[in-house]
Amino acid sequence: MARILLGVTGGIAAYKSLEFVRLATAREHAVRVIQTPASTRFVGRASFEALTGAPTLVGDHDADPLRGAFPGEQIDAHDPITHLALAAKADLFLIAPASANTIAKLAHGFADSLLTSSALAARCPVVLAPAMNNLMYEHPATQSNIARLESRGVQVITPAVGRLASRDEHGIGRLPEPQQLLEACEQRLSAARGLFDGLRVLVTAGGTREPIDDVRFIGNRSSGKMGLALAQAALARGAEVTLIEANVALASPAGLRVIHAPTAAEMQRACEEGLPRCEVLLMAAAVADFRPKARFDGKIKKQQLPGLTLDLEPTPDILARLAGARQPRQTIVGFAAEHGERALALAQQKLQTKELDAIVVNDISKPGIGFESDANEVTIITSSWQQAVAKASKRSVAERILDAVARLRSEGEASR
Ligand SMILES: Cc1cc2nc3c(=O)[nH]c(=O)nc-3n(C[C@H](O)[C@H](O)[C@H](O)COP(=O)(O)O)c2cc1C
């Protein structure tokens, strides 16, 4: 049971927020509602009041008869500043539907209403469910505002595709069903509740380089952004994070232990040393499958050789070895970049043969995601369930991967 602060903004889908409140209170969550003035033209505050059993607030100077308390809580003798009190008490702040206008304000830190001031003061997880016409949603301004919010750790629920409010219109922009919103909130709440607190998480990032001579190498296109995003997200959830990075040109976030492992052999050594000291291993680095059998000393001169044939040998399968050496209660997640329609089937095979707890696969044939990009679109596969994560910033995808780890670990606890 949690305290959910619900922000409702001015959009057609505001009627769905009523159903959200009904479902959330049926699950015994205590809900308070803040509406923007525009939203009251779509749904009246009385309906929310009836369903939450608490006053709905709209104006930033409205007196709150509950003085910031949630339903079922004692009312404080002191009358606090409403937006600060509600934000401080909430376990989660859901803004659904989130209009293009409010998203823009939040992205730029506006505090011109009770809802936006509360969002700025909130330190609990903030979940945003945009809902609008597809043209508004797809506009670069909205997309960049969403990306900005995601980069600050706000969880954005991708709208559904389907019939839109105006006649004969179809596209992305529908508010997901209230039940899905509630599930997203509950997942976020359980992830935020200490599951990662003090958990030792080992993350690998980047791409290994296998030397040919002192100058040249065989490498790959991994930038390390996905691994860094995972490290950042785990750190924000209170984990103790070690990052093993291979040739990452980006600055790593403060507060984590960084080990440099530029080649597959060094990566293997660092992972084998780190494995006994972690509960979660996230293998996001792209490790070379082959390396030159011999390394030339110095620099091979073009004039010295008529041509060059490299003899390659396979590198050890680090992930399979680590999975084989795992201790009980360790969670191992592999990553696979696969190409084309067979991507999921190939990842499924890897999951089984390498005995992983989960594999995160992206289809590298899709444009604008994966290597070097700031966005990703993945499917998380476990032996008992599968979750598609729509295209979003790598930070946001990292949050969903950590939610999946939390789910795996709590399912593991439950089955023990
Ligand atoms: C009939 C009607 C429907 C609207 N539907 C949406 C919508 O679904 N999503 C959206 O972002 N804006 C929608 N708008 C525009 C917003 O209501 C408008 O931008 C308003 O300023 C939002 O204010 P708020 O963000 O403070 O709630 C709609 C406007 C009208 C008149």
Side-chain angles (χ1 to χ4, degrees):
M1 303 337 97
R3 285 176 292 226
I4 298 178
L5 182 57
L6 171 66
V8 181
T9 73
I12 305 272
Y15 73 94
K16 287 190 181 171
S17 311
L18 291 170
E19 177 65 359
F20 172 84
V21 176
R22 200 186 64 74
L23 294 173
T25 49
R27 300 261 300 160
E28 295 186 24
H29 296 301
V31 183
R32 291 287 318 255
V33 177
I34 297 176
Q35 289 190 253
T36 60
S39 79
T40 58
R41 305 199 50 168
F42 295 86
V43 183
R45 57 212 281 177
S47 304
F48 286 113
E49 287 176 347
L51 290 167
T52 57
T56 301
L57 303 175
V58 179
D60 40 9
H61 289 271
D62 280 3
D64 178 10
L66 294 191
R67 300 185 159 178
F70 277 68
E73 289 177 342
Q74 223 171 358
I75 301 173
D76 213 328
H78 166 76
D79 195 2
I81 297 176
T82 304
H83 62 272
L84 300 181
L86 282 173
K89 286 212 167 125
D91 298 312
L92 181 138
F93 191 0
L94 169 70
I95 304 177
S99 65
N101 177 56
T102 291
I103 290 170
K105 287 186 191 176
L106 296 177
H108 293 88
F110 279 44
D112 64 345
S113 70
L114 185 62
L115 190 151
T116 51
S117 302
S118 304
L120 210 52
R123 291 297 172 268
C124 61
V126 177
V127 179
L128 213 70
M132 63 200 69
N133 172 274
N134 61 325
L135 298 175
M136 293 170 77
Y137 178 72
E138 284 164 349
H139 193 284
T142 305
Q143 287 302 308
S144 99
N145 289 333
I146 287 175
R148 187 182 272 231
L149 289 165
E150 282 183 325
S151 71
R152 292 187 204 134
V154 171
Q155 178 177 342
V156 179
I157 302 176
T158 307
V161 176
R163 254 190 82 197
L164 300 171
S166 36
R167 204 160 69 175
D168 298 333
E169 289 211 350
H170 187 277
I172 187 161
R174 281 171 65 85
L175 187 69
E177 293 312 310
Q179 179 62 34
Q180 289 169 290
L181 296 178
L182 183 57
E183 281 164 14
C185 290
E186 288 185 341
Q187 268 186 20
R188 191 76 181 86
L189 280 161
S190 74
R193 273 204 189 117
L195 221 147
F196 281 84
D197 232 4
L199 199 73
R200 292 169 304 172
V201 176
L202 185 63
V203 184
T204 68
T208 62
R209 291 177 180 176
E210 309 306 320
I212 297 170
D213 61 12
D214 289 355
V215 180
R216 305 172 182 96
F217 56 81
I218 298 176
N220 61 65
R221 289 176 52 205
S222 177
S223 61
K225 286 180 183 171
M226 191 66 238
L228 280 186
L230 283 162
Q232 245 163 348
L235 208 59
R237 293 185 187 206
E240 249 179 58
V241 184
T242 302
L243 179 71
I244 304 178
E245 60 166 46
N247 311 299
V248 177
L250 306 155
S252 35
L256 44 79
R257 197 171 151 244
V258 181
I259 298 167
H260 295 278
T263 63
E266 285 158 301
M267 179 65 74
Q268 180 183 355
R269 209 169 313 126
C271 287
E272 283 173 356
E273 275 173 27
L275 183 70
R277 290 193 295 271
C278 75
E279 280 88 32
V280 175
L281 173 63
L282 305 171
M283 287 286 283
V287 179
D289 292 322
F290 291 92
R291 64 183 163 212
K293 248 185 181 164
R295 173 188 176 147
F296 292 83
D297 277 338
K299 183 182 175 190
I300 304 169
K301 286 283 180 210
K302 205 171 164 185
Q303 300 87 324
Q304 277 175 339
L305 303 167
L308 178 64
T309 305
L310 284 177
D311 243 344
L312 301 180
E313 64 179 8
T315 55
D317 187 336
I318 302 178
L319 194 51
R321 283 182 181 219
L322 294 172
R326 77 158 66 175
Q327 304 293 313
R329 295 180 189 228
Q330 280 184 320
T331 307
I332 300 188
V333 181
F335 288 72
E338 301 290 356
H339 192 278
E341 353 179 281
R342 295 202 54 233
L344 290 192
L346 291 170
Q348 196 111 40
Q349 238 171 19
K350 274 192 188 163
L351 175 81
Q352 282 161 5
T353 53
K354 299 193 183 192
E355 296 183 40
L356 307 173
D357 297 294
I359 191 154
V360 178
V361 55
N362 63 357
D363 176 356
I364 51 173
S365 68
K366 293 189 178 172
I369 61 155
F371 291 130
E372 295 158 5
S373 148
D374 289 325
N376 214 349
E377 179 183 334
V378 303
T379 303
I380 304 168
I381 307 176
T382 75
S383 59
S384 48
W385 48 268
Q386 187 167 314
Q387 185 194 345
V389 181
K391 184 175 172 185
S393 70
K394 285 189 170 165
R395 173 62 190 265
S396 175
V397 172
E399 298 286 354
R400 301 294 69 74
I401 293 169
L402 295 190
D403 289 347
V405 169
R407 180 172 167 191
L408 276 168
R409 292 186 68 80
S410 47
E411 284 170 353
E413 283 299 325
S415 64
R416 258 178 216 120

